[in-house]
Amino acid sequence: MAQSRFYRPEALESRQDWIDPLGRPQGHMPIDELAAVLDMLRNERPVYLHWSEAWRQTWLDTRAEPVREAAVSDPARPADQTVLPFSVRPRKP
């Protein structure tokens, strides 16, 4: 089980995603992305919450496994490893 909490932008700045003592990812997201997350939860199955140890970050996706090949980059992540809001992430066909 994992969790993702939603915060106002000023509160989100002080939050860092982490793994709790039981090994469960704990994520933090901007409150303005809540509608996109709810839409994803309503309309897509299954939805996964991923954890990246390298990025120390969680994210939602409908793929079971994140892309791991060095030559293939995840279209939801720019080269500088920042996370794009759901509203601007490319949709899968």
Side-chain angles (χ1 to χ4, degrees):
M1 185 166 129
Q3 292 184 6
S4 190
R5 296 181 179 102
F6 295 85
Y7 298 90
R8 291 187 176 134
E10 62 274 6
L12 186 62
E13 291 175 9
S14 65
R15 305 292 177 171
Q16 174 64 48
D17 294 355
W18 58 291
I19 297 288
D20 74 10
L22 297 175
R24 300 175 297 200
Q26 306 294 311
H28 305 89
M29 300 180 78
I31 192 71
D32 60 343
E33 295 299 329
L34 182 58
V37 170
L38 290 175
D39 181 59
M40 177 186 271
L41 294 173
R42 284 186 190 120
N43 299 312
E44 302 201 32
R45 297 280 188 271
V47 176
Y48 301 93
L49 190 140
H50 295 287
W51 167 256
S52 169
E53 187 64 38
W55 296 323
R56 306 280 310 157
Q57 199 166 44
T58 62
W59 72 95
L60 292 174
D61 201 343
T62 56
R63 294 176 290 179
E65 296 280 333
V67 175
R68 297 194 188 278
E69 298 174 2
V72 178
S73 64
D74 187 333
R77 290 184 181 274
D80 67 359
Q81 307 301 324
T82 59
V83 175
L84 295 174
F86 285 101
S87 56
V88 295
R89 290 185 184 184
R91 303 273 304 172
K92 292 191 299 185

